[in-house]
């Protein structure tokens, strides 16, 4: 096994039907890490994508080497939380980055996460869309209103000490992520919220870095009444149990 | 594992809380706070004639809960409105991403990726 430096970063990418985006994300990650001299590995957890994502992943493994690209697929689409647990088993880095594989998160922020982590010796560094020059591209007024409204509600009810609770672009210390995964039980948006809330409960520190979120699929999905209802239910559950 | 009883004052997790606050759920904190403020308000506002505070104070005190609620409502609207208005639009980030995608596709093809 190749020697690993103390600052190696393991990126966990959970993919489902990301045949087009996966090579681009991996290219950007590889470029970012080599430009900043950061040791890395990318763990691709594909949930049995029917569109051939696995095949593309295998090509990437050949191009970048199997010490940099680790393919750890699963048979079918399971939860994000279990994907992290699964991926972490193979992670050799001291830091774990979780992010979306659809290019809404740009790898260029990862060196900033690392810088921030060193600056305050944080256990978690969370990318925030709501502070500094963080922001979003591709959202209309209605979507932004829902986002800000929901965030306001979580701030009032949970007082979490972090400005972006539903964000999923974060850097964790490996031991911290392992500890948190044991405790978190929610799904979806609420899962991301629960991670931060439990981290604070356990006395872990959270730093923030403004990020830009580029939504290129907004037209096709995402935020129906069902999602809002389950978000509220999850929020109230966290309110009552943490 | 989580306690399944939201009102349990004693956490069933192996954590030892460092302070009473750490052990209390947010809901419990709110209920405590409301109980405290509520009983103080009730004691002063609904006191029997012998123990009443002076009239002007009582006049201000009685509608205070409603005032506070309305004030909080206004604060919420103003805050969300402000944050909505100042929500950054990342035009540059989107444009930059398009460029990066072009560069990535070209380079990956050179390296042998077949799409």
């Amino acid at each position: 096994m190749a020697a690993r430096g103390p600052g190696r970063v393991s990126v966990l990418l959970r993919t489902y039907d990301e045949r087009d985006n996966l090579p681009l994300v991996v290219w950007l990650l590889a470029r970012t890490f080599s430009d900043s001299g950061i040791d890395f590995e990318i763990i691709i957890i594909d949930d049995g994508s029917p569109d051939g994502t696995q095949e593309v992943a295998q090509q990437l493994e050949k191009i970048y080497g199997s010490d940099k690209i680790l393919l750890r697929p699963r048979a079918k689409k399971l939860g994000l939380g279990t994907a992290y647990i699964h991926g972490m088993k193979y992670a050799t880095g001291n830091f774990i980055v979780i992010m979306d594989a659809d290019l809404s998160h740009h790898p260029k922020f990862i060196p900033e996460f690392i810088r921030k982590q060193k600056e305050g010796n944080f256990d978690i560094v969370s990318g925030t869309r709501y502070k500094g020059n963080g922001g979003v591209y591709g959202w209309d007024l209605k979507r932004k209103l829902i986002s800000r409204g929901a965030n306001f509600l979580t701030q009032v009810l949970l007082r979490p000490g972090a400005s972006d609770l539903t964000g999923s672009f974060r850097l964790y210390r490996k031991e911290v992520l392992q500890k948190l995964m044991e405790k978190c039980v929610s799904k979806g948006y609420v899962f991301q919220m629960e991670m931060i809330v439990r981290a604070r409960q356990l006395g872990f520190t959270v730093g923030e870095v403004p990020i830009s979120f580029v939504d290129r699929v907004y037209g096709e999905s995402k935020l129906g009444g069902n999602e809002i209802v389950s978000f509220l239910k999850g929020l109230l559950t966290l309110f009552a149990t943490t | 594992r989580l306690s399944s009883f939201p009102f349990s004052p004693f956490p069933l997790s192996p954590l030892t809380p460092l302070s009473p606050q750490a052990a209390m759920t947010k809901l419990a904190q709110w209920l405590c706070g409301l109980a405290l403020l509520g009983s103080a308000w009730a004691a002063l506002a609904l006191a029997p004639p012998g123990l009443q505070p002076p009239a002007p104070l009582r006049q201000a005190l009685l509608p205070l809960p409603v005032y506070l609620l309305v004030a909080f409502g206004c604060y919420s609207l103003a805050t969300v409105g402000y944050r909505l208005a100042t929500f950054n639009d990342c035009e540059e980030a989107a444009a930059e991403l398009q460029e990066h995608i072009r560069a990535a596709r070209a380079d990956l093809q050179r390296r042998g990726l077949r799409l």
Side-chain angles (χ1 to χ4, degrees):
Chain A
M1 205 191 300
R4 60 190 100 112
R8 176 182 265 211
V9 174
S10 301
V11 181
L12 298 185
L13 282 182
R14 193 273 222 134
T15 60
Y16 189 75
D17 278 354
E18 294 291 2
R19 180 203 175 83
D20 293 328
N21 291 324
L22 181 60
L24 304 172
V25 161
V26 168
W27 188 87
L28 285 171
L29 281 165
R31 191 57 124 60
T32 303
F33 286 126
S34 71
D35 282 354
S36 22
I38 297 171
D39 186 22
F40 74 100
E41 64 184 1
I42 302 170
I43 302 172
I44 301 174
I45 303 138
D46 182 57
D47 280 352
S49 300
D51 74 341
T53 304
Q54 256 300 289
E55 196 205 15
V56 170
Q58 280 159 3
Q59 290 190 53
L60 291 168
E61 188 190 25
K62 284 206 191 66
I63 293 173
Y64 289 101
S66 56
D67 58 325
K68 292 283 173 241
I69 311 286
L70 277 63
L71 303 185
R72 300 291 179 266
R74 301 192 295 181
K76 60 176 185 155
K77 192 173 188 190
L78 300 167
L80 195 58
T82 49
Y84 294 159
I85 295 175
H86 176 78
M88 260 199 297
K89 289 203 276 264
Y90 309 101
T92 59
N94 293 312
F95 296 111
I96 302 201
V97 168
I98 60 153
M99 58 186 289
D100 291 350
D102 61 0
L103 292 174
S104 51
H105 295 144
H106 197 302
K108 71 177 179 181
F109 293 106
I110 298 179
E112 292 185 38
F113 284 4
I114 293 175
R115 201 169 17 246
K116 185 73 184 181
Q117 193 282 326
K118 286 206 180 76
E119 180 187 296
N121 199 23
F122 292 108
D123 298 304
I124 303 175
V125 177
S126 173
T128 173
R129 297 159 291 173
Y130 299 130
K131 257 169 66 172
N133 58 0
V136 173
Y137 174 83
W139 280 4
D140 60 7
L141 204 64
K142 176 177 163 210
R143 182 66 181 88
K144 285 185 189 175
L145 176 62
I146 294 175
S147 182
R148 282 297 199 178
N151 182 257
F152 179 78
L153 209 54
T154 60
Q155 295 295 325
V156 167
L157 288 180
L158 301 180
R159 301 193 314 274
S163 62
D164 191 346
L165 272 203
T166 51
S168 51
F169 192 7
R170 298 180 185 155
L171 172 101
Y172 292 85
R173 256 213 262 263
K174 186 173 173 195
E175 326 81 70
V176 172
L177 187 59
Q178 276 168 336
K179 190 91 191 266
L180 289 174
M181 295 306 314
E182 286 166 28
K183 297 207 164 294
C184 291
V185 292
S186 336
K187 312 237 177 298
Y189 290 116
V190 185
F191 166 69
Q192 302 294 352
M193 284 165 44
E194 194 186 355
M195 298 273 263
I196 296 281
V197 169
R198 297 233 172 264
R200 304 271 297 170
Q201 257 187 342
L202 291 167
F204 294 132
T205 53
V206 180
E208 296 193 292
V209 167
I211 56 153
S212 47
F213 181 91
V214 178
D215 194 336
R216 302 187 301 150
V217 297
Y218 175 47
E220 304 163 21
S221 45
K222 245 186 201 181
L223 209 57
N226 271 337
E227 289 223 336
I228 295 183
V229 166
S230 60
F231 165 79
L232 288 173
K233 278 183 12 196
L235 174 58
L236 289 176
T237 306
L238 283 179
F239 177 66
T241 58
T242 62
Chain B
R1 284 305 275 183
L2 288 177
S3 159
S4 51
F5 296 99
F7 300 100
S8 162
F10 304 107
L12 300 182
S13 75
L15 294 176
T16 36
L18 303 166
S19 70
Q21 275 218 316
M24 271 182 146
T25 63
K26 290 289 181 290
L27 176 60
Q29 288 174 19
W30 274 68
L31 291 176
C32 265
L34 287 174
L36 233 66
L37 292 173
S39 49
W41 175 84
L44 286 173
L46 309 175
L51 298 167
Q52 277 171 3
L57 186 61
R58 281 189 69 228
Q59 268 178 355
L61 218 50
L62 275 167
L64 195 59
V66 179
Y67 284 168
L68 289 176
L69 216 59
V70 172
F72 177 71
C74 291
Y75 165 77
S76 305
L77 284 175
T79 304
V80 174
Y82 173 74
R83 289 176 181 173
L84 177 61
T86 56
F87 208 161
N88 286 329
D89 268 315
C90 301
E91 308 275 348
E92 290 171 12
E96 182 190 53
L97 182 61
Q98 289 308 314
E99 272 183 48
H100 287 176
I101 289 176
R102 267 192 291 272
R105 286 211 175 111
D107 191 45
L108 283 167
Q109 230 174 4
R110 243 177 286 131
R111 295 207 203 197
L113 187 80
R114 290 172 324 279
L115 289 162

